[in-house]
């Protein structure tokens, strides 16, 4: 039925509904004028007299265009959206109430105009018809006109107006004779005799027919925000598990509702590993998760993207190797086990626990730190389900998944092809021999659910939920009586608030053409034979960066053999690697690239912590010399390395590599024996540090050497000559000394020459000694010159 387009011929509306519409924003100029005048403008200014306060829908206050907003908008960017005002299906005799949202993102004011509402000529009987209707470019006919309503007021630049319009049942034109199902509605905004914007929406018409509900399973991933480390800090956990924290919002929205939880084991381990230091809110949160009746399966640790791992060459999918390096034994000191018998969160859950409380005490401990297996343990509903990035799974990835024990893979809609547009198949998909089962997410339903959960206004939420309702109605009406089992997922991330997530799930459960389904039921459904797996791939740049991370981990693993406790390094490296491969980074390309660059730099710095400190040059004099090489170890544990020295030419010969152990944060000098060959000149020694297995762990250090191999013979000759001269000089000195001493001795022993007899004066002849008395006679006196002169002289011969 085509409604009359002339207003005076349109069926009269009830008094309370006549001219029903509302403006959600007031022009900023009016507000400013009112403020300057000291009087606020009345809320009903410019509204028809019949409008009441309850008919005015509040929205955010308008703001004057700023330089930033002016630069962001473009001309003629006027958007219009239309949706039913309630999720309840429209039945015979009921008026249709819709909301029309007009967004003026231009720099110009939109003058008063007319909003026209249309009803699609035909029911939307399949997904193709639904998608075609929602895209005006594919279906340009808006349908039959139901209502024309003047806007009465201008729409200011950079503002949004929401109008509530009611179409009388007679103008809708649907009766009990019309089949139930989704119906299309269109709205246009016309000003100055031209259409400024058009929007499409849907609602569900129901006439009490028997309905076959669509079985649909919903999965909610609970993950932490993107981070570069493989454990969440205590401070971050306290924030995340606070009443308004991200983890609390996710859990609050789904616990106890027909939603399967996909939990990141990183969260569980991060709480348990803190022992008695875990924040009370985190312990309470983990306790609530333990008590939740929902089906739960684990994501990969840190929600590391399975497809990215496989395409980057990981081989078997990554798992944590150890948490020992992060455990503080003091946090697990023995406590009274009977004090808190039901709060053993450091152990695998499953026992009865007390009611959630933010002051939950730390779990008791027997004094033994938990093992890696105990930290990861949980009573999961299934452990063989893999959830890679939706739509990015390649054929070769399926082999990696299967080899890692995953029998079921959750796939995005783009990974499946062949389904006819007039029939929606089950979510299950046979991936072929050895590849297990695929569960294909219904992308359209999932997108609408995600939009609803993230909506920040009631109108945006109703618009998204109307799409969910219509899509399920279309699937149910495609082949009446044929049951279908579908799968929808919330995206990795977190809703702005838990209330909106809860509201979305509860509203879904209230639809007559929806029936909640469990994940095991989806896995047990009949696979769609007409649907085939469609291989896709991760973006090349993302795969390339991931491959660099894997290469860095291999380098660290090889390097770790020099350490006294390799697990301290390799365990941390594995956890951090998985954190960087998390799906949470997928929407933050630039930040992820920076985080990967930082990780690669840290890996290089770690390998470079053991260095050769000797610089040279060193002089080698002689045929065999020990060259000292000093090694520095900047690590906090002892290392054992092999020192390999290779000369640049044949002037020096070097033996085998020398093993050396260097204590933590210290230096040690290693002597390298070398042998000089024939010839002198310059030699460069290339000193390379190796692991005990022979793997190079750092760039070689070059030490210049000056070789003077013939200095040894020359030095011996000079030394011999020196010795000969030294001893010869000593002998010569002894000879001279002895000659001198002999000469002196001979001189001393020689008789003195006899004196010539002096002439005795006759008058003074010597007296004879008296023989009897023994007295001597008078001795002759000395010669005087006179007497000497008088003495006769001997004639000379």
């Amino acid at each position: 039925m085509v409604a009359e387009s002339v207003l005076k011929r349109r069926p009269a509306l009830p008094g309370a509904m006549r001219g029903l519409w509302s403006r959600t924003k007031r022009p900023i100029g009016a507000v400013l004028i009112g403020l300057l005048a000291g009087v606020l403008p009345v809320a009903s200014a410019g509204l028809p007299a019949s409008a009441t306060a309850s008919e005015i829908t509040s929205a955010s206050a308008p703001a004057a265009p700023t330089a930033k907003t002016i630069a962001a908008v473009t001309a003629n960017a006027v958007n219009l959206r239309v949706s039913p005002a309630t999720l309840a299906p429209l039945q015979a005799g009921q008026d249709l109430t819709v909301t029309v949202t007009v967004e003026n993102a231009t720099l110009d004011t939109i003058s008063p105009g007319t909003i026209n509402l249309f009803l699609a000529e035909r029911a939307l009987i399949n997904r193709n018809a639904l998608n075609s209707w929602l895209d005006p470019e594919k279906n340009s006919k808006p349908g039959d006109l139901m209502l024309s309503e003047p806007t009465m007021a201008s729409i200011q630049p950079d503002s949004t107006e929401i109008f509530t319009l009611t179409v009388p049942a007679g103008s809708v034109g649907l009766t009990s004779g019309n089949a139930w199902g989704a119906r299309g509605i269109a709205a246009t905004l016309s000003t100055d005799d031209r259409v400024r914007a058009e929007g499409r929406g849907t609602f569900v018409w129901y006439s009490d027919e028997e309905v076959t509900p669509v079985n649909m399973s919903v999965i909610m991933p609970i993950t932490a925000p993107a981070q570069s480390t493989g454990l969440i800090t205590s401070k971050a956990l306290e924030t995340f598990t606070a009443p308004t924290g991200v983890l609390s919002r996710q859990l609050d929205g789904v616990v106890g509702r027909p939603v399967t939880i996909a939990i990141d084991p990183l969260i569980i381990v991060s709480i348990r590993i803190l022992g008695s230091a875990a924040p009370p809110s985190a312990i309470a949160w983990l306790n609530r998760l333990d008590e939740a009746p929902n089906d739960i399966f684990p994501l990969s640790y840190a929600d590391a993207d399975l497809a990215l791992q496989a395409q980057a060459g990981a081989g078997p999918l990554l798992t944590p190797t150890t948490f020992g390096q992060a455990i503080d034994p003091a946090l697990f000191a023995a406590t009274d086990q009977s004090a808190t018998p039901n709060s053993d969160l450091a152990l695998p859950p499953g026992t009865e626990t007390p009611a959630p409380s933010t002051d939950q005490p730390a779990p008791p401990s027997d004094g033994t730190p938990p093992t890696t297996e105990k930290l990861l343990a949980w009573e999961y509903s299934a452990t063989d389900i893999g959830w890679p990035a939706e739509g990015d799974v390649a054929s070769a990835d399926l082999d990696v998944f299967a080899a890692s024990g995953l029998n079921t893979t959750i796939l995005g809609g783009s990974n499946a092809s062949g389904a006819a547009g007039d029939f929606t198949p089950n979510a299950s998909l046979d991936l072929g021999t050895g590849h297990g089962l695929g569960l294909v997410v219904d992308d359209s339903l999932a997108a609408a659910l995600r939009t609803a959960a993230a909506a920040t206004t009631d109108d945006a939420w109703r618009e998204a939920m109307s799409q969910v309702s219509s899509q399920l109605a279309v699937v149910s009406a495609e082949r009446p009586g044929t049951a279908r089992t579908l799968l929808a997922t919330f995206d990795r991330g977190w809703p702005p608030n838990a209330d909106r997530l809860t509201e979305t799930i509860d509203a879904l459960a209230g639809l007559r053409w929806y029936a909640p389904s469990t994940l095991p039921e989806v896995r047990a459904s009949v696979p769609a034979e007409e649907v085939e797996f469609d291989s896709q791939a991760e973006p090349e740049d993302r795969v390339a960066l991931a491959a660099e991370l894997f290469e860095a981990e291999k380098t660290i693993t090889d390097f770790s053999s020099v350490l006294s406790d390799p697990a301290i390094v390799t365990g941390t490296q594995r956890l951090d690697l998985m954190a960087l491969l998390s799906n949470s980074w997928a929407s933050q390309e630039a930040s992820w690239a920076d985080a990967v660059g930082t990780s690669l730099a840290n890996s290089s710095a770690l390998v470079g912590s053991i260095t050769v400190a000797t610089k040279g040059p060193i002089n080698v004099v002689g045929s065999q010399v020990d060259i000292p090489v000093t090694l520095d170890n900047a690590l906090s544990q002892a290392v054992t390395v092999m020192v390999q020295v290779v000369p640049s030419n044949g002037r020096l010969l070097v033996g085998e590599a020398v093993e050396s152990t260097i204590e933590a944060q210290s230096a040690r000098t290693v002597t390298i024996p070398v042998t000089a060959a024939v010839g002198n000149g310059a030699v460069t020694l290339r000193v390379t540090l190796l692991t005990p297995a022979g793997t190079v762990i750092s760039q070689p250090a070059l030490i210049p050497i000056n070789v003077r191999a013939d200095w040894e013979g020359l030095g011996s000759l000079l030394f011999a000559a020196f010795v000969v001269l030294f001893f010869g000089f000593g002998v010569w000195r002894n000879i001279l000394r002895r000659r001198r001493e002999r000469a002196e001795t001979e001189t001393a022993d020689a008789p003195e020459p006899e004196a010539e007899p002096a002439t005795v004066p006759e008058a003074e002849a010597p007296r004879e000694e008296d023989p009897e008395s023994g007295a001597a006679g008078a001795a002759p006196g000395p010669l005087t010159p006179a007497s000497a002169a008088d003495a006769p002289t001997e004639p000379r011969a």
Side-chain angles (χ1 to χ4, degrees):
M1 172 181 178
V2 179
E4 296 290 342
S5 59
V6 181
L7 288 178
K8 66 180 180 180
R9 296 181 58 188
R10 189 163 45 85
L13 301 179
M17 303 296 289
R18 186 179 299 114
L20 180 60
W21 65 285
S22 62
R23 292 190 304 129
T24 62
K25 291 189 176 181
R26 293 188 296 271
I28 187 64
V31 175
L32 292 176
I33 292 174
L35 292 174
L36 291 175
V39 180
L40 291 175
V42 293
S44 60
L47 293 177
S50 59
T52 64
S54 62
E55 296 167 356
I56 301 175
T57 305
S58 298
S60 57
T66 63
K68 182 176 181 180
T69 57
I70 290 176
V73 299
T74 57
N76 300 323
V78 180
N79 302 312
L80 187 149
R81 301 188 304 274
V82 59
S83 62
T86 176
L87 291 179
L90 184 68
Q91 295 184 286
Q94 293 181 345
D95 298 335
L96 173 64
T97 302
V98 300
T99 58
V100 178
T101 303
V102 180
E103 178 185 4
N104 180 15
T106 69
L107 303 179
D108 302 323
T109 299
I110 298 177
S111 59
T114 302
I115 294 178
N116 295 321
L117 290 178
F118 301 86
L119 176 67
E121 295 178 353
R122 297 181 177 85
L124 306 176
I125 58 175
N126 54 51
R127 302 292 281 273
N128 277 344
L130 175 63
N131 295 333
S132 177
W133 169 256
L134 294 175
D135 187 355
E137 294 183 358
K138 294 182 179 179
N139 187 345
S140 59
K141 296 180 179 180
D144 300 330
L145 180 64
M146 295 186 295
L147 177 69
S148 292
E149 189 73 26
T151 59
M152 303 295 294
S154 300
I155 303 176
Q156 299 302 311
D158 192 30
S159 64
T160 299
E161 304 287 346
I162 301 176
F163 303 91
T164 301
L165 306 176
T166 298
V167 182
S171 297
V172 175
L174 296 175
T175 65
S176 59
N178 296 104
W180 88 281
R183 298 282 174 162
I185 52 176
T188 61
L189 173 64
S190 300
T191 60
D192 302 327
D193 297 328
R194 69 187 181 98
V195 176
R196 296 295 304 272
E198 179 180 356
R200 300 288 179 94
T202 59
F203 68 94
V204 177
W205 165 258
Y206 182 65
S207 52
D208 296 326
E209 296 97 331
E210 184 178 351
V211 174
T212 302
V214 177
N215 302 307
M216 186 172 71
S217 177
V218 180
I219 302 176
M220 173 68 185
I222 295 184
T223 59
Q227 59 180 37
S228 301
T229 56
L231 287 171
I232 306 173
T233 64
S234 176
K235 184 176 181 180
L237 280 173
E238 187 174 8
T239 301
F240 295 162
T241 57
T244 59
V246 52
L247 295 181
S248 294
R249 294 199 304 268
Q250 294 179 61
L251 188 59
D252 292 345
V254 299
V255 66
R257 289 176 170 78
V259 177
T260 298
I261 295 175
I263 184 69
D264 182 356
L266 163 68
I267 302 171
I268 298 174
V269 173
S270 296
I271 297 174
R272 286 175 166 175
I273 205 169
L274 290 174
S276 60
S281 61
I283 298 175
W285 184 94
L286 193 59
N287 199 25
R288 290 186 60 207
L289 179 67
D290 180 27
E291 294 177 323
N294 307 61
D295 286 338
I296 302 177
F297 72 90
L299 298 167
S300 60
Y301 188 87
D303 192 25
D305 186 355
L306 304 181
L308 183 60
Q309 293 182 51
Q311 294 173 36
L317 297 175
L318 301 179
T319 57
T321 56
T322 180
F323 296 99
Q325 74 283 352
I327 295 177
D328 182 359
L331 300 178
F332 297 90
T335 57
D336 185 3
Q337 299 291 324
S338 62
T340 53
N342 297 325
S343 60
D344 188 6
L345 300 181
L347 301 176
T351 58
E352 194 176 64
T353 53
S357 173
T358 56
D359 58 354
Q360 184 77 14
S365 173
D366 60 0
T368 303
T371 62
T372 296
E373 292 73 17
K374 184 176 289 187
L375 288 171
L376 290 170
W378 193 267
E379 288 188 359
Y380 293 113
S381 304
T383 58
D384 61 345
I385 301 174
W387 189 358
E390 295 176 8
D392 291 330
V393 180
S395 298
D397 301 345
L398 301 178
D399 294 325
V400 179
F401 299 165
S404 302
L406 300 180
N407 299 323
T408 301
T409 304
I410 298 175
L411 303 170
S414 59
N415 269 128
S417 61
D422 59 353
F423 178 71
T424 302
N426 288 333
S428 59
L429 169 65
D430 187 359
L431 296 176
T433 304
H435 293 157
L437 185 70
L439 301 182
V440 182
V441 176
D442 192 303
D443 286 346
S444 298
L445 277 168
L449 280 173
R450 296 173 183 182
T451 301
T456 55
T457 65
D458 291 342
D459 291 287
W461 179 82
R462 282 195 300 269
E463 181 181 350
M465 285 306 300
S466 69
Q467 296 180 20
V468 173
S469 176
S470 296
Q471 290 190 56
L472 288 172
V474 167
V475 174
S476 176
E478 284 174 344
R479 294 184 185 178
T482 302
R484 249 73 55 80
T485 304
L486 306 182
L487 176 65
T489 59
F490 289 102
D491 56 350
R492 289 162 163 99
W494 46 94
N497 61 76
D499 292 340
R500 192 68 80 185
L501 178 59
T502 301
E503 185 180 15
T504 298
I505 297 172
D506 291 345
L508 181 64
L511 300 177
R512 300 183 186 183
W513 34 94
Y514 158 79
S517 180
T518 65
L519 195 58
E521 291 172 346
V522 179
R523 299 175 73 178
S525 63
V526 178
E529 297 181 356
E530 66 274 23
V531 180
E532 297 180 353
F533 174 77
D534 189 6
S535 180
Q536 301 292 332
E538 295 267 3
E540 293 183 0
D541 55 346
R542 184 169 169 81
V543 174
L545 284 177
E548 291 187 40
L549 288 174
F550 281 118
E551 185 63 28
E553 189 197 34
K554 181 180 182 302
T555 300
I556 293 297
T557 301
D558 294 340
F559 166 80
S560 66
S561 63
V562 308
L563 304 174
S564 56
D565 189 359
I568 294 179
V569 172
T570 57
T572 302
Q573 181 73 16
R574 172 59 59 87
L575 297 181
D576 293 351
L577 169 61
M578 297 188 75
L580 285 172
L581 297 177
S582 174
N583 283 286
S584 300
W585 286 106
S587 60
Q588 307 175 47
E589 295 182 5
S591 297
W592 183 64
D594 292 340
V596 170
T598 300
S599 176
L600 295 176
N602 292 339
S603 297
S604 298
L606 176 63
V607 175
S609 298
I610 308 173
T611 57
V612 178
T614 302
K615 303 300 180 183
I618 299 175
N619 295 320
V620 173
V621 179
S623 59
Q624 293 184 346
V625 177
D626 289 339
I627 297 180
V629 176
T630 302
L631 307 178
D632 282 341
N633 174 22
L635 298 175
S636 58
Q637 58 175 303
V639 298
T640 300
V641 298
M642 303 295 293
V643 184
Q644 182 186 69
V645 178
V646 178
S648 61
N649 54 51
R651 293 189 177 96
L652 285 180
L653 302 178
V654 183
E656 299 294 331
V658 176
E659 182 176 292
S660 178
T661 298
I662 315 168
E663 295 301 322
Q665 296 181 341
S666 63
R668 181 174 181 179
T669 299
V670 180
T671 57
I672 307 297
V674 299
T675 302
V678 179
N680 302 324
V683 180
T684 299
L685 294 184
R686 185 179 63 189
V687 182
T688 306
L689 302 182
L690 311 172
T691 66
T695 302
V696 177
I697 62 175
S698 65
Q699 291 294 327
L702 302 179
I703 301 177
I705 303 293
N706 297 321
V707 179
R708 294 295 180 264
D710 55 353
W711 281 17
E712 183 179 18
L714 179 59
S716 299
L717 292 176
L718 292 175
F719 179 74
F722 172 77
V723 172
V724 170
L725 291 175
F726 178 77
F727 285 103
F729 177 73
V731 172
W732 179 72
R733 286 186 59 191
N734 286 337
I735 293 173
L736 291 181
R737 182 173 56 80
R738 291 178 180 179
R739 286 181 177 178
R740 185 171 58 255
E741 290 176 351
R742 187 166 56 248
E744 292 176 353
T745 302
E746 291 175 355
T747 303
D749 294 340
E752 293 184 2
E754 297 182 358
E756 295 180 1
T759 303
V760 180
E762 294 181 359
E764 297 182 4
R767 289 180 295 176
E768 295 289 333
E769 181 179 356
D770 188 354
E772 293 183 359
S773 61
L783 297 177
T784 61
S787 61
D790 294 337
T793 60
E794 295 277 340
R796 292 183 181 180

